[in-house]
Amino acid sequence: RAKAETELRDVSTALETLAEPVIMMRGHTITSVNHATLETFGYESKSELEGQGVTVLMQTPEASKHSSFVDRFERTGERRIIGKPRVVTGKRKDGSSVSLTLSVSPCAAPGEYIGILYRRTEAEARAKAETELRDVSTALETLAEPVIMMRGHTITSVNHATLETFGYESKSELEGQGVTVLMQTPEASKHSSFVDRFERTGERRIIGKPRVVTGKRKDGSSVSLTLSVSPCAAPGEYIGILYRRTEAEARAKAETE
């Protein structure tokens, strides 16, 4: 638990440095914001927002539409807005409006979401989301747990802990490879089918649900890990975090994060 709290602080610190507003949510409730959120919406203290419904930052009827989209996603898995940048009309503390592009993604723990806001068009926001993904990837480099960034089934980035865990010397040995290179059979084929199903139907068979997997080191030996995969803001992008823990311990850790 202490380690999870440390890692949460590390990620929160990294997000705090971003110029764009970042909002962490549990369901419809704001759990954390960064300083850029306060500046954009005219608030002085995080305590004014944390614990409030996220719709306090949206003009009507944007607020009711957002709530219904999130509720539908949690009931059906339909990605009406999740992972899809869209233009919204934000509401400042003084009641004035601000035009923003919002990208919402679910986190590892069920019911948890991260929202990133951009003062850009949808196309520009998509490109920015990819940049932010690289920024977060840089921040995650400091974590002790293996972190793997993916586009579809392909590894786009790994941190140093991934190299240590799987016995590789260079990131170039993994980046550009299929993520299943790190999984023993039949785990590899099952993982691919789960991701394909999620992209076709939105069914969260493994997405956001920590599960025990048998990893495959470079030398072919096995390592027992718990994997948690979550989609990122950019469509088709995923982040996987691996833990040397039991499934129950990993679920508790994911919920803490």
Tab-separated table of all heavy atoms in Angstrom, residues 110-155:
chain	number	residue	atom	x	y	z
A	110	PRO	N	-11.838	0.055	-11.818
A	110	PRO	CA	-13.182	0.258	-12.376
A	110	PRO	C	-13.849	1.504	-11.812
A	110	PRO	O	-13.783	1.763	-10.615
A	110	PRO	CB	-13.924	-1.025	-11.934
A	110	PRO	CG	-12.843	-2.041	-11.755
A	110	PRO	CD	-11.662	-1.287	-11.231
A	111	GLY	N	-14.487	2.284	-12.699
A	111	GLY	CA	-15.188	3.486	-12.275
A	111	GLY	C	-14.314	4.715	-12.137
A	111	GLY	O	-14.805	5.794	-11.810
A	112	GLU	N	-13.004	4.558	-12.384
A	112	GLU	CA	-12.079	5.688	-12.303
A	112	GLU	C	-11.779	6.198	-13.711
A	112	GLU	O	-11.613	5.406	-14.646
A	112	GLU	CB	-10.758	5.265	-11.639
A	112	GLU	CG	-10.928	4.669	-10.248
A	112	GLU	CD	-10.986	5.720	-9.156
A	112	GLU	OE1	-10.772	6.898	-9.480
A	112	GLU	OE2	-11.231	5.362	-7.996
A	113	TYR	N	-11.699	7.524	-13.866
A	113	TYR	CA	-11.463	8.131	-15.178
A	113	TYR	C	-10.450	9.263	-15.072
A	113	TYR	O	-10.302	9.882	-14.011
A	113	TYR	CB	-12.764	8.692	-15.770
A	113	TYR	CG	-13.833	7.660	-15.959
A	113	TYR	CD1	-14.727	7.365	-14.926
A	113	TYR	CD2	-13.955	6.967	-17.159
A	113	TYR	CE1	-15.710	6.396	-15.089
A	113	TYR	CE2	-14.944	6.008	-17.329
A	113	TYR	CZ	-15.811	5.730	-16.291
A	113	TYR	OH	-16.772	4.775	-16.451
A	114	ILE	N	-9.781	9.528	-16.179
A	114	ILE	CA	-8.923	10.712	-16.283
A	114	ILE	C	-9.400	11.533	-17.466
A	114	ILE	O	-9.657	10.998	-18.550
A	114	ILE	CB	-7.437	10.336	-16.439
A	114	ILE	CG1	-6.567	11.597	-16.544
A	114	ILE	CG2	-7.213	9.415	-17.640
A	114	ILE	CD1	-5.078	11.324	-16.495
A	115	GLY	N	-9.571	12.826	-17.239
A	115	GLY	CA	-9.989	13.735	-18.308
A	115	GLY	C	-8.908	14.769	-18.551
A	115	GLY	O	-8.381	15.353	-17.600
A	116	ILE	N	-8.537	14.965	-19.814
A	116	ILE	CA	-7.563	15.989	-20.189
A	116	ILE	C	-8.259	16.973	-21.119
A	116	ILE	O	-8.965	16.576	-22.050
A	116	ILE	CB	-6.330	15.377	-20.872
A	116	ILE	CG1	-5.679	14.323	-19.969
A	116	ILE	CG2	-5.308	16.471	-21.204
A	116	ILE	CD1	-4.470	13.647	-20.579
A	117	LEU	N	-8.075	18.258	-20.856
A	117	LEU	CA	-8.744	19.314	-21.617
A	117	LEU	C	-7.725	20.099	-22.426
A	117	LEU	O	-6.617	20.381	-21.956
A	117	LEU	CB	-9.483	20.249	-20.657
A	117	LEU	CG	-10.697	19.606	-19.954
A	117	LEU	CD1	-10.891	20.197	-18.578
A	117	LEU	CD2	-11.946	19.769	-20.803
A	118	TYR	N	-8.123	20.456	-23.654
A	118	TYR	CA	-7.227	21.175	-24.560
A	118	TYR	C	-7.951	22.391	-25.144
A	118	TYR	O	-9.131	22.327	-25.471
A	118	TYR	CB	-6.806	20.273	-25.737
A	118	TYR	CG	-6.341	18.904	-25.332
A	118	TYR	CD1	-7.215	17.810	-25.359
A	118	TYR	CD2	-5.034	18.683	-24.933
A	118	TYR	CE1	-6.787	16.546	-24.993
A	118	TYR	CE2	-4.597	17.422	-24.576
A	118	TYR	CZ	-5.479	16.359	-24.596
A	118	TYR	OH	-5.066	15.100	-24.237
A	119	ARG	N	-7.221	23.479	-25.298
A	119	ARG	CA	-7.764	24.655	-25.992
A	119	ARG	C	-7.463	24.501	-27.477
A	119	ARG	O	-6.714	25.287	-28.056
A	119	ARG	CB	-7.135	25.933	-25.460
A	119	ARG	CG	-7.572	26.322	-24.067
A	119	ARG	CD	-6.858	27.592	-23.665
A	119	ARG	NE	-7.272	28.078	-22.361
A	119	ARG	CZ	-8.271	28.922	-22.146
A	119	ARG	NH1	-8.985	29.379	-23.153
A	119	ARG	NH2	-8.578	29.318	-20.920
A	120	ARG	N	-8.032	23.483	-28.104
A	120	ARG	CA	-7.692	23.152	-29.483
A	120	ARG	C	-8.889	22.519	-30.190
A	120	ARG	O	-9.839	22.094	-29.559
A	120	ARG	CB	-6.516	22.167	-29.527
A	120	ARG	CG	-5.215	22.798	-29.048
A	120	ARG	CD	-4.157	21.753	-28.772
A	120	ARG	NE	-2.906	22.375	-28.394
A	120	ARG	CZ	-2.626	22.793	-27.187
A	120	ARG	NH1	-3.512	22.657	-26.219
A	120	ARG	NH2	-1.466	23.357	-26.912
A	121	THR	N	-8.789	22.414	-31.517
A	121	THR	CA	-9.796	21.694	-32.282
A	121	THR	C	-9.640	20.204	-32.001
A	121	THR	O	-8.638	19.758	-31.433
A	121	THR	CB	-9.619	21.925	-33.790
A	121	THR	OG1	-8.366	21.345	-34.186
A	121	THR	CG2	-9.632	23.402	-34.123
A	122	GLU	N	-10.605	19.418	-32.432
A	122	GLU	CA	-10.557	17.981	-32.190
A	122	GLU	C	-9.317	17.351	-32.829
A	122	GLU	O	-8.645	16.510	-32.227
A	122	GLU	CB	-11.826	17.312	-32.730
A	122	GLU	CG	-11.921	15.835	-32.407
A	122	GLU	CD	-13.291	15.269	-32.698
A	122	GLU	OE1	-14.234	16.055	-32.857
A	122	GLU	OE2	-13.400	14.043	-32.769
A	123	ALA	N	-9.001	17.758	-34.058
A	123	ALA	CA	-7.833	17.192	-34.740
A	123	ALA	C	-6.551	17.557	-33.999
A	123	ALA	O	-5.661	16.717	-33.805
A	123	ALA	CB	-7.770	17.681	-36.182
A	124	GLU	N	-6.462	18.809	-33.571
A	124	GLU	CA	-5.275	19.242	-32.835
A	124	GLU	C	-5.188	18.533	-31.487
A	124	GLU	O	-4.106	18.182	-31.021
A	124	GLU	CB	-5.317	20.754	-32.633
A	124	GLU	CG	-5.109	21.553	-33.917
A	124	GLU	CD	-5.351	23.037	-33.720
A	124	GLU	OE1	-6.213	23.394	-32.893
A	124	GLU	OE2	-4.701	23.829	-34.404
A	125	ALA	N	-6.351	18.314	-30.864
A	125	ALA	CA	-6.370	17.640	-29.570
A	125	ALA	C	-5.880	16.206	-29.686
A	125	ALA	O	-5.211	15.688	-28.793
A	125	ALA	CB	-7.784	17.649	-28.986
A	126	ARG	N	-6.213	15.540	-30.804
A	126	ARG	CA	-5.760	14.164	-30.999
A	126	ARG	C	-4.227	14.120	-31.044
A	126	ARG	O	-3.593	13.267	-30.421
A	126	ARG	CB	-6.351	13.581	-32.279
A	126	ARG	CG	-6.036	12.111	-32.483
A	126	ARG	CD	-6.673	11.615	-33.779
A	126	ARG	NE	-8.118	11.758	-33.742
A	126	ARG	CZ	-8.939	10.863	-33.228
A	126	ARG	NH1	-8.460	9.763	-32.691
A	126	ARG	NH2	-10.241	11.056	-33.238
A	127	ALA	N	-3.640	15.058	-31.779
A	127	ALA	CA	-2.175	15.120	-31.857
A	127	ALA	C	-1.584	15.447	-30.488
A	127	ALA	O	-0.556	14.901	-30.086
A	127	ALA	CB	-1.754	16.160	-32.886
A	128	LYS	N	-2.257	16.371	-29.768
A	128	LYS	CA	-1.778	16.743	-28.437
A	128	LYS	C	-1.858	15.562	-27.477
A	128	LYS	O	-0.966	15.362	-26.640
A	128	LYS	CB	-2.618	17.911	-27.908
A	128	LYS	CG	-2.254	18.366	-26.502
A	128	LYS	CD	-0.907	19.025	-26.468
A	128	LYS	CE	-0.592	19.571	-25.088
A	128	LYS	NZ	0.757	20.143	-24.990
A	129	ALA	N	-2.931	14.762	-27.605
A	129	ALA	CA	-3.081	13.592	-26.742
A	129	ALA	C	-1.897	12.648	-26.911
A	129	ALA	O	-1.405	12.063	-25.941
A	129	ALA	CB	-4.382	12.862	-27.056
A	130	GLU	N	-1.432	12.511	-28.149
A	130	GLU	CA	-0.279	11.647	-28.396
A	130	GLU	C	0.979	12.219	-27.751
A	130	GLU	O	1.817	11.484	-27.232
A	130	GLU	CB	-0.087	11.463	-29.901
A	130	GLU	CG	-1.224	10.675	-30.543
A	130	GLU	CD	-1.103	10.586	-32.048
A	130	GLU	OE1	-0.196	11.236	-32.617
A	130	GLU	OE2	-1.897	9.852	-32.663
A	131	THR	N	1.108	13.549	-27.769
A	131	THR	CA	2.245	14.196	-27.121
A	131	THR	C	2.180	13.993	-25.612
A	131	THR	O	3.185	13.683	-24.957
A	131	THR	CB	2.274	15.703	-27.437
A	131	THR	OG1	2.382	15.870	-28.850
A	131	THR	CG2	3.450	16.379	-26.747
A	132	GLU	N	0.966	14.182	-25.045
A	132	GLU	CA	0.793	13.991	-23.608
A	132	GLU	C	1.118	12.549	-23.229
A	132	GLU	O	1.665	12.280	-22.156
A	132	GLU	CB	-0.654	14.319	-23.189
A	132	GLU	CG	-1.064	15.758	-23.427
A	132	GLU	CD	-0.449	16.697	-22.420
A	132	GLU	OE1	0.252	16.231	-21.505
A	132	GLU	OE2	-0.662	17.916	-22.551
A	133	LEU	N	0.773	11.617	-24.117
A	133	LEU	CA	1.061	10.211	-23.871
A	133	LEU	C	2.563	10.015	-23.725
A	133	LEU	O	3.029	9.300	-22.834
A	133	LEU	CB	0.519	9.370	-25.035
A	133	LEU	CG	0.570	7.853	-24.891
A	133	LEU	CD1	-0.251	7.403	-23.699
A	133	LEU	CD2	0.079	7.199	-26.158
A	134	ARG	N	3.338	10.682	-24.567
A	134	ARG	CA	4.793	10.575	-24.471
A	134	ARG	C	5.287	11.216	-23.170
A	134	ARG	O	6.213	10.705	-22.532
A	134	ARG	CB	5.452	11.238	-25.678
A	134	ARG	CG	5.263	10.470	-26.978
A	134	ARG	CD	6.179	11.000	-28.058
A	134	ARG	NE	5.830	12.368	-28.436
A	134	ARG	CZ	4.968	12.664	-29.387
A	134	ARG	NH1	4.337	11.712	-30.044
A	134	ARG	NH2	4.720	13.936	-29.698
A	135	ASP	N	4.653	12.337	-22.772
A	135	ASP	CA	5.051	12.994	-21.530
A	135	ASP	C	4.803	12.087	-20.327
A	135	ASP	O	5.644	11.968	-19.431
A	135	ASP	CB	4.275	14.304	-21.339
A	135	ASP	CG	4.678	15.373	-22.344
A	135	ASP	OD1	5.762	15.236	-22.941
A	135	ASP	OD2	3.907	16.329	-22.526
A	136	VAL	N	3.627	11.444	-20.309
A	136	VAL	CA	3.306	10.530	-19.212
A	136	VAL	C	4.258	9.345	-19.232
A	136	VAL	O	4.718	8.866	-18.194
A	136	VAL	CB	1.838	10.067	-19.293
A	136	VAL	CG1	1.560	8.979	-18.261
A	136	VAL	CG2	0.906	11.246	-19.062
A	137	SER	N	4.582	8.856	-20.449
A	137	SER	CA	5.524	7.748	-20.583
A	137	SER	C	6.867	8.108	-19.947
A	137	SER	O	7.490	7.299	-19.266
A	137	SER	CB	5.723	7.406	-22.063
A	137	SER	OG	6.663	6.375	-22.216
A	138	THR	N	7.307	9.359	-20.154
A	138	THR	CA	8.563	9.815	-19.561
A	138	THR	C	8.463	9.801	-18.036
A	138	THR	O	9.400	9.379	-17.342
A	138	THR	CB	8.900	11.236	-20.053
A	138	THR	OG1	9.056	11.203	-21.472
A	138	THR	CG2	10.175	11.740	-19.418
A	139	ALA	N	7.319	10.249	-17.517
A	139	ALA	CA	7.124	10.268	-16.065
A	139	ALA	C	7.137	8.855	-15.489
A	139	ALA	O	7.703	8.604	-14.422
A	139	ALA	CB	5.803	10.954	-15.723
A	140	LEU	N	6.525	7.910	-16.224
A	140	LEU	CA	6.428	6.535	-15.737
A	140	LEU	C	7.772	5.821	-15.759
A	140	LEU	O	7.937	4.772	-15.143
A	140	LEU	CB	5.409	5.761	-16.573
A	140	LEU	CG	3.958	6.227	-16.430
A	140	LEU	CD1	3.052	5.441	-17.371
A	140	LEU	CD2	3.462	6.102	-14.997
A	141	GLU	N	8.741	6.402	-16.461
A	141	GLU	CA	10.084	5.815	-16.523
A	141	GLU	C	10.682	5.665	-15.129
A	141	GLU	O	11.489	4.771	-14.878
A	141	GLU	CB	10.990	6.683	-17.400
A	141	GLU	CG	12.406	6.169	-17.548
A	141	GLU	CD	12.482	4.833	-18.264
A	141	GLU	OE1	11.676	4.612	-19.183
A	141	GLU	OE2	13.342	4.020	-17.888
A	142	THR	N	10.271	6.529	-14.211
A	142	THR	CA	10.837	6.506	-12.864
A	142	THR	C	10.221	5.424	-11.979
A	142	THR	O	10.746	5.151	-10.894
A	142	THR	CB	10.637	7.871	-12.185
A	142	THR	OG1	9.230	8.112	-12.016
A	142	THR	CG2	11.249	8.983	-13.018
A	143	LEU	N	9.124	4.809	-12.408
A	143	LEU	CA	8.440	3.824	-11.568
A	143	LEU	C	9.209	2.510	-11.507
A	143	LEU	O	9.881	2.111	-12.453
A	143	LEU	CB	7.028	3.571	-12.093
A	143	LEU	CG	6.081	4.762	-12.109
A	143	LEU	CD1	4.696	4.323	-12.543
A	143	LEU	CD2	6.016	5.440	-10.743
A	144	ALA	N	9.081	1.814	-10.368
A	144	ALA	CA	9.768	0.543	-10.186
A	144	ALA	C	9.066	-0.600	-10.903
A	144	ALA	O	9.669	-1.645	-11.151
A	144	ALA	CB	9.879	0.225	-8.695
A	145	GLU	N	7.783	-0.417	-11.240
A	145	GLU	CA	7.023	-1.468	-11.920
A	145	GLU	C	7.204	-1.362	-13.431
A	145	GLU	O	7.307	-0.256	-13.975
A	145	GLU	CB	5.528	-1.349	-11.585
A	145	GLU	CG	5.203	-1.261	-10.102
A	145	GLU	CD	5.434	-2.566	-9.374
A	145	GLU	OE1	5.864	-3.546	-10.007
A	145	GLU	OE2	5.184	-2.607	-8.150
A	146	PRO	N	7.224	-2.502	-14.147
A	146	PRO	CA	7.279	-2.452	-15.612
A	146	PRO	C	6.060	-1.758	-16.191
A	146	PRO	O	4.926	-2.037	-15.791
A	146	PRO	CB	7.295	-3.938	-16.016
A	146	PRO	CG	7.803	-4.651	-14.813
A	146	PRO	CD	7.279	-3.886	-13.639
A	147	VAL	N	6.281	-0.825	-17.128
A	147	VAL	CA	5.213	-0.109	-17.814
A	147	VAL	C	5.425	-0.262	-19.316
A	147	VAL	O	6.529	-0.038	-19.815
A	147	VAL	CB	5.202	1.393	-17.450
A	147	VAL	CG1	4.110	2.128	-18.220
A	147	VAL	CG2	5.007	1.579	-15.949
A	148	ILE	N	4.359	-0.658	-20.028
A	148	ILE	CA	4.434	-0.879	-21.471
A	148	ILE	C	3.368	-0.042	-22.157
A	148	ILE	O	2.178	-0.146	-21.833
A	148	ILE	CB	4.213	-2.373	-21.814
A	148	ILE	CG1	5.229	-3.241	-21.072
A	148	ILE	CG2	4.307	-2.601	-23.321
A	148	ILE	CD1	4.916	-4.730	-21.148
A	149	MET	N	3.759	0.822	-23.078
A	149	MET	CA	2.830	1.599	-23.881
A	149	MET	C	2.639	0.868	-25.204
A	149	MET	O	3.606	0.389	-25.808
A	149	MET	CB	3.369	3.005	-24.138
A	149	MET	CG	3.835	3.748	-22.889
A	149	MET	SD	2.533	4.049	-21.686
A	149	MET	CE	1.539	5.240	-22.589
A	150	MET	N	1.382	0.794	-25.667
A	150	MET	CA	1.067	0.024	-26.877
A	150	MET	C	0.158	0.786	-27.818
A	150	MET	O	-0.675	1.572	-27.375
A	150	MET	CB	0.382	-1.297	-26.484
A	150	MET	CG	1.245	-2.254	-25.688
A	150	MET	SD	0.234	-3.458	-24.763
A	150	MET	CE	-0.278	-2.472	-23.332
A	151	ARG	N	0.313	0.547	-29.089
A	151	ARG	CA	-0.644	0.977	-30.102
A	151	ARG	C	-1.201	-0.297	-30.721
A	151	ARG	O	-0.505	-0.998	-31.453
A	151	ARG	CB	0.012	1.857	-31.164
A	151	ARG	CG	-0.974	2.336	-32.246
A	151	ARG	CD	-0.315	3.296	-33.225
A	151	ARG	NE	0.102	4.530	-32.554
A	151	ARG	CZ	1.365	4.889	-32.378
A	151	ARG	NH1	2.357	4.127	-32.842
A	151	ARG	NH2	1.665	6.020	-31.754
A	152	GLY	N	-2.450	-0.608	-30.376
A	152	GLY	CA	-3.000	-1.897	-30.778
A	152	GLY	C	-2.240	-3.005	-30.066
A	152	GLY	O	-2.159	-3.029	-28.843
A	153	HIS	N	-1.633	-3.915	-30.844
A	153	HIS	CA	-0.850	-5.002	-30.252
A	153	HIS	C	0.650	-4.703	-30.246
A	153	HIS	O	1.446	-5.554	-29.830
A	153	HIS	CB	-1.082	-6.292	-31.042
A	153	HIS	CG	-2.522	-6.724	-31.090
A	153	HIS	ND1	-3.207	-7.147	-29.985
A	153	HIS	CD2	-3.398	-6.783	-32.119
A	153	HIS	CE1	-4.447	-7.464	-30.326
A	153	HIS	NE2	-4.591	-7.245	-31.604
A	154	THR	N	1.033	-3.519	-30.709
A	154	THR	CA	2.458	-3.210	-30.899
A	154	THR	C	3.014	-2.363	-29.765
A	154	THR	O	2.401	-1.364	-29.360
A	154	THR	CB	2.663	-2.472	-32.236
A	154	THR	OG1	2.153	-3.285	-33.297
A	154	THR	CG2	4.146	-2.204	-32.482
A	155	ILE	N	4.166	-2.742	-29.251
A	155	ILE	CA	4.830	-1.982	-28.197
A	155	ILE	C	5.402	-0.692	-28.786
A	155	ILE	O	6.153	-0.723	-29.764
A	155	ILE	CB	5.978	-2.804	-27.578
A	155	ILE	CG1	5.431	-4.071	-26.907
A	155	ILE	CG2	6.757	-1.958	-26.564
A	155	ILE	CD1	6.506	-5.047	-26.473
